[in-house]
Amino acid sequence: INQGQQSKYNLSTEAIFNVDEDNIYKILLQDTNGDSLVLLKSDTTWSMPQADTLEIKDRQVNQFFDKVINGSYDMLMSKNPKKWEKFGVTDTSGKKITLFDKNNKSIESVIFSNKGQDYAHNFYRNSDKNEVYRTTENLFYMINVKPTYWGSKPKPPESEIKNSSSPQINLDTNE
């Protein structure tokens, strides 16, 4: 095998999203069943408009950026749109992530799928392209539209904790 033939079999990793994360101000997550969730950035803080009583879990957002937005792929699976169904990346069969800039203009939209026997990877394609790729790791579970995945109920303020109805012992009396 010559070097040219050999190089096409080597796995290399490339970025899934070709976007500067500082330019992302809105993330729209869409599930296969039609449910969706929006994450909005104001300055450096993320929020969920449809679940504004929940406090955003920064760890989930950071992990999403680290693994998904800055995620990578290691293999081109197909360039044929007729195989989208096989890989689960049709416009209606996969989970979709759409990124928006500060002017609410779509920057990039990607459809992910976990179709197949391999649970360590997923398939994806950019909405406006034909190529289907394999991710370097499983990201599917992070494309989650449940508000409680992204946020939790805020902890009560300290004053409410101190005034809770726990039994009080009076040390000044003989009781």
Side-chain angles (χ1 to χ4, degrees):
I1 298 177
N2 70 32
Q3 197 165 2
Q5 289 173 313
Q6 184 68 36
S7 68
K8 73 180 178 183
Y9 294 106
N10 291 341
L11 294 180
S12 65
T13 59
E14 301 285 337
I16 295 172
F17 288 92
N18 189 11
V19 63
D20 178 351
E21 66 180 71
D22 291 335
N23 293 333
I24 301 170
Y25 283 81
K26 177 178 161 185
I27 301 169
L28 172 61
L29 305 170
Q30 295 169 290
D31 207 339
T32 52
N33 62 10
D35 291 341
S36 65
L37 181 118
V38 172
L39 298 170
L40 286 178
K41 182 170 79 173
S42 175
D43 295 322
T44 58
T45 307
W46 287 91
S47 64
M48 288 180 290
Q50 67 263 57
D52 60 1
T53 59
L54 297 180
E55 209 168 75
I56 285 285
K57 298 176 188 171
D58 290 332
R59 185 175 176 277
Q60 297 298 71
V61 174
N62 293 339
Q63 188 176 23
F64 183 80
F65 272 88
D66 290 346
K67 304 262 187 194
V68 180
I69 302 300
N70 294 310
S72 56
Y73 68 89
D74 60 9
M75 193 182 298
L76 172 65
M77 302 304 291
S78 175
K79 294 181 178 180
N80 184 349
K82 292 179 180 155
K83 295 202 175 173
W84 289 356
E85 186 71 40
K86 174 185 174 187
F87 293 109
V89 293
T90 64
D91 291 334
T92 56
S93 63
K95 290 184 178 183
K96 190 185 229 179
I97 299 173
T98 307
L99 306 176
F100 297 86
D101 66 12
K102 64 182 173 188
N103 299 317
N104 206 30
K105 180 178 175 273
S106 175
I107 305 171
E108 202 161 350
S109 188
V110 176
I111 300 167
F112 289 83
S113 144
N114 66 346
K115 201 161 190 177
Q117 301 302 312
D118 182 359
Y119 295 108
H121 304 90
N122 306 120
F123 301 118
Y124 82 91
R125 78 173 173 87
N126 285 61
S127 297
D128 59 348
K129 301 218 168 50
N130 291 335
E131 295 85 1
V132 177
Y133 299 94
R134 185 182 79 167
T135 61
T136 54
E137 63 183 311
N138 183 350
L139 306 172
F140 204 68
Y141 70 97
M142 291 187 195
I143 308 166
N144 197 316
V145 298
K146 290 186 173 70
T148 52
Y149 175 83
W150 296 98
S152 57
K153 289 183 179 172
K155 293 181 177 82
E158 280 295 317
S159 61
E160 286 182 33
I161 295 169
K162 288 177 183 169
N163 295 334
S164 66
S165 60
S166 57
Q168 301 293 318
I169 300 171
N170 187 345
L171 300 176
D172 294 335
T173 65
N174 292 333
E175 294 173 13

